[in-house]
Amino acid sequence: MTSNKQLCIGLSLNATWNKGDGWRRPDSGVEQTGSINYYIHWAKIAENSKLDFLFRADYLYISPQMLGDSSNFGSPDPTLFFAAIACETNRIGLVTTISTTFNPPYVVARQLQSLNWLSQGRAGWNIVTSIEGADNFSDSPMPSPQERYAKAAEFTDVVCKLWESFPNQAIVIDRQSGMFTDKAQVNAIHHSGEFFSVKGPLTLPSHESGRIPLFQAGASDIGRNFASSVADAIFAAMPDLESGVELRNDLRSRAMEHGRDPDAIKVLPGLYFFLADTHEEALELHKASHSHLSLERRLASLQSVMGLDLNDLPMDQRVTAGMLPDANQTVRSRTHAELLRRYIIKYQPTVREILDRPEVVGSAHWVSVGTVETVLNDIIERLEAGAIDGFIALPGGSERSMELFFEELIPELVDRGLFRSEYAGETLRDHLDI
Ligand SMILES: Cc1cc2nc3c(=O)[nH]c(=O)nc-3n(C[C@H](O)[C@H](O)[C@H](O)COP(=O)(O)O)c2cc1C
């Protein structure tokens, strides 16, 4: 039992309730989502509820399938976005996503440290290796997952070394002696590795709050190894409780193999919730959010997730392990392909069941649909089963879903002693207790 444990809760500051056909609802607020004021409004509400952090995923390409009938086809640079949010908030953490595949580490170390200064120690970095975008960076075809993770490991090492190259203590500001910076403490890093050569030091000192917390998303075998060696938190795709328990246990034991305390890693799945005042309304919201996905689109999505072609099969036909394509073929995200592969091998589901799976209709996130009580019980069940240390909230369906989350669900968690009622510290490190 882990029920006396406090949850770590982040909010994805994207209009996730506008996914699919959600933006077409009269109350979707979609016209306002181009204005930073809209997000500042929700950021303040999240801070008022003492959430650990705000979060933004980020992709460096436009998905042609989403352009046209979806409002979620792209987004502004999340680090610039959070620089604006930083000025309007005081406590809540700001976790930006930056790819290690297509950026220079010096620039990224500088951007993140800048966000950390602007926010007074509230920046976090979600490290991603990207699933597409090579064509936009003179790097086509897409490097293999092995190469991307090898690069991510070296990239992260360089970024952390650059942060250390100019420690906060080097700033002395001694008017009497005339010493502003203690030069002896500011040192080049002289990094020369497989992918990068970086001399350093960084152009700005580290913030006094300490090393910026690292998040990671990607849970293939190499992804887990990388995450368990460096990350403070994992943004996890966790469609069911079983896969969550397996992932969390595995990450914890890998952390120990890397000589780390298993509690040093927080496993935070995306929680895509559809909250409404009645169960029926919530089910309706959930159904509507996927109604735009025709059979053809679901079949095409399945093909792109794991290369499985079910076009000619009847909907009630069961799919078995023997029908699956080679596990070693190249896919965009092994995390998603492996989740679906394991589900099919275990349950031999029908074609219809597969085409309704979160891995096919969405991003493989944990979906919870119902009233506040339903979603609350779902959270408690996963916490007690040891599947989660918290979650990243992805409100679905409508703005009302988000309102119910803040007005009723969070207070229920506080009443049960599962979430804080006040911030104990001022920085993201304080909130994550690291
Ligand atoms: C839950 C989750 C969220 C992700 N978010 C992003 C993202 O915001 N931007 C991005 O470029 N890649 C994202 N990725 C892709 C990963 O960074 C990684 O490139 C991909 O999953 C391939 O790694 P894998 O083989 O370990 O799955 C995400 C992956 C997962 C599982």
Side-chain angles (χ1 to χ4, degrees), residues 116-305:
N116 212 28
W117 271 101
L118 288 170
S119 64
Q120 294 295 307
R122 293 185 285 133
W125 175 24
N126 180 37
I127 305 168
V128 295
T129 58
S130 295
I131 44 175
E132 273 188 47
D135 297 347
N136 294 330
F137 295 91
S138 320
D139 205 7
S140 194
M142 197 66 191
S144 70
Q146 286 77 3
E147 183 179 333
R148 273 147 55 207
Y149 274 113
K151 200 170 175 185
E154 189 182 329
F155 191 114
T156 308
D157 180 48
V158 172
V159 167
C160 291
K161 284 200 282 198
L162 283 168
W163 288 338
E164 286 162 16
S165 70
F166 197 157
N168 188 271
Q169 301 81 327
I171 302 293
V172 288
I173 316 184
D174 186 340
R175 284 187 169 80
Q176 212 153 23
S177 68
M179 183 192 273
F180 189 88
T181 308
D182 177 4
K183 283 197 299 190
Q185 292 191 52
V186 185
N187 294 302
I189 64 169
H190 297 294
H191 175 87
S192 173
E194 187 184 347
F195 300 98
F196 306 107
S197 290
V198 182
K199 183 173 171 218
L202 199 59
T203 54
L204 80 166
S206 288
H207 186 262
E208 64 188 358
S209 53
R211 201 231 330 115
I212 294 173
L214 305 178
F215 286 54
Q216 196 269 354
S220 61
D221 189 47
I222 25 174
R224 291 178 186 204
N225 248 342
F226 172 55
S228 55
S229 68
V230 295
D232 300 299
I234 317 285
F235 178 34
M238 192 183 284
D240 42 60
L241 188 145
E242 232 172 29
S243 63
V245 173
E246 186 276 325
L247 176 66
R248 184 163 175 272
N249 285 342
D250 184 53
L251 285 166
R252 289 171 67 82
S253 68
R254 286 180 199 234
M256 283 195 282
E257 281 164 28
H258 289 294
R260 302 180 68 201
D261 177 350
D263 289 332
I265 296 193
K266 289 187 166 43
V267 179
L268 309 176
L271 168 55
Y272 191 24
F273 59 81
F274 292 77
L275 275 171
D277 297 296
T278 66
H279 201 76
E280 292 65 39
E281 246 181 284
L283 286 176
E284 209 38 59
L285 278 180
H286 180 243
K287 203 169 138 203
S289 74
H290 298 127
S291 58
H292 66 296
L293 287 176
S294 62
L295 178 63
E296 289 68 38
R297 276 174 87 162
R298 288 171 194 238
L299 286 164
S301 164
L302 179 63
Q303 276 262 21
S304 102
V305 170

Side-chain angles (χ1 to χ4, degrees), residues 6-22:
Q6 292 268 306
L7 288 159
C8 170
I9 305 180
L11 168 75
S12 169
L13 198 55
N14 261 318
T16 40
W17 54 91
N18 283 342
K19 278 191 174 181
D21 266 356

